[in-house]
Amino acid sequence: QVQLVQSGAEVKKPGASVKVSCKTSGYTFTIYDINWVRQATGQGLEWMGRMNPNNGDTAYAQKFQGRVTMTRNTSISTAYMELSSLRSEDTAVYYCARDGSYYRFDPWGQGTLVTVSS
Amino acid sequence: DIQMTQSPSSLSASVGDRVTITCQASQDISNYLNWYQQKPGKAPKFLIYDASNLQTGVPSRFSGSGSGTDFTFTISSLQPEDIATYYCQQYFNLPVTFGGGTKVEMK
C-alpha cells in the first residue's frame, strides 16, 4: 500500500535550519507531486508548497519564499523539506502528503514535530 | 490569498444525529474544494474531492455539496468514530488554503 514515512522529531535553536525527510513506498515516486503542510499545536493546516519529483519543479507559498527548499532523491523515493532561519513561530508538526491530482492530498505522512526553542 | 471560513468552529452532537458544517470562500472557487478529517494526534485523512465526490472507501454517511463560494459538509448519522476535526481546502488558486476547522464532539 502507499505509505509516506517521515523522519523523527527535531529540536532546533532560533536561526538554525531543519531538514525533514519523507520516504515513500507502494507507488512510482516520480508520478505524483509531494506537498508539505504544517500545523502549529492546536491550530489549523497551512500549505507550504509542492514539488514535482520527476523534474524537481517547485511552487512555494509566498509566506515561505526564501526560507523553504523542497528537494528529492529519486533513487530512494524520498522527498525533503528544508526550512531555514527558524523562529519560535515555526514550531509545528510538518506533514508531507502525496498529491493524487488537483491537490487531493492522500495519503499523508505521520508528521514530524519541529520545536524551535532557545 | 483565498480565505476559507468554516462554521461552526466546534459542535456537539449525539450518535445518530445529522451534522452539518459550512465552508465559505472569499471568492468564487467553482467546485475546487476538498474535505479532510483529522483525529487527535493523527494526520488528516482525505474524504471528499471537487466539493461532492466521495473518495473511495469513505463511508456513504459523509457527503458534500456546493459551488461558487458556499459549501456544505454533512454526516448523515454521526458515529462515535467520526469524532474529529474537519477541514475544507480550496485549490482554485495557489496558495492552497484551508478553513480553520470544525471540531465535532460527542454529546
Side-chain angles (χ1 to χ4, degrees):
Chain A
Q1 75 280 24
V2 175
Q3 279 193 302
L4 283 68
V5 178
Q6 299 182 222
S7 48
E10 303 261 15
V11 179
K12 296 292 182 181
K13 293 195 181 303
S17 297
V18 68
K19 190 171 186 178
V20 179
S21 68
C22 174
K23 182 167 178 58
T24 72
S25 60
Y27 72 100
T28 302
F29 176 63
T30 52
I31 290 179
Y32 301 97
D33 286 3
I34 293 290
N35 286 248
W36 291 88
V37 175
R38 77 177 187 179
Q39 184 173 39
T41 302
Q43 302 300 309
L45 302 167
E46 183 174 34
W47 182 77
M48 300 180 69
R50 65 162 170 79
M51 181 197 62
N52 180 328
N54 185 48
N55 57 20
D57 282 354
T58 55
Y60 301 140
Q62 189 166 9
K63 174 177 179 175
F64 300 101
Q65 285 276 3
R67 284 210 302 144
V68 70
T69 305
M70 296 177 188
T71 57
R72 87 288 191 211
N73 183 332
T74 55
S75 68
I76 55 172
S77 301
T78 299
Y80 303 92
M81 186 282 300
E82 185 170 20
L83 189 63
S84 62
S85 302
L86 290 169
R87 35 214 188 223
S88 59
E89 311 90 87
D90 294 317
T91 295
V93 175
Y94 290 76
Y95 293 100
C96 61
R98 189 183 77 162
D99 180 351
S101 65
Y102 297 104
Y103 297 97
R104 299 170 191 172
F105 300 156
D106 182 40
W108 297 55
Q110 83 276 20
T112 296
L113 175 62
V114 175
T115 303
V116 183
S117 173
S118 54
Chain B
D1 298 2
I2 297 175
Q3 306 303 314
M4 305 300 293
T5 303
Q6 278 183 244
S7 62
S9 56
S10 66
L11 63 89
S12 182
S14 300
V15 172
D17 283 354
R18 184 180 184 86
V19 169
T20 300
I21 297 168
T22 64
C23 178
Q24 185 170 59
S26 59
Q27 67 180 73
D28 189 335
I29 61 169
S30 184
N31 67 334
Y32 291 18
L33 185 100
N34 299 326
W35 288 95
Y36 297 85
Q37 174 194 66
Q38 185 178 32
K39 296 185 178 181
K42 300 294 187 182
K45 176 186 174 183
F46 179 55
L47 296 181
I48 289 173
Y49 62 96
D50 297 349
S52 61
N53 295 288
L54 212 59
Q55 173 69 341
T56 302
V58 174
S60 59
R61 63 180 180 273
F62 296 101
S63 64
S65 63
S67 67
T69 61
D70 296 303
F71 301 87
T72 300
F73 172 84
T74 300
I75 307 172
S76 61
S77 177
L78 186 69
Q79 300 302 305
E81 60 267 31
D82 301 336
I83 299 310
T85 300
Y86 294 85
Y87 293 93
C88 60
Q89 171 224 339
Q90 70 79 24
Y91 58 95
F92 183 81
N93 274 345
L94 292 184
V96 165
T97 49
F98 294 86
T102 296
K103 187 174 184 179
V104 175
E105 298 174 309
M106 199 64 75
K107 192 180 291 183

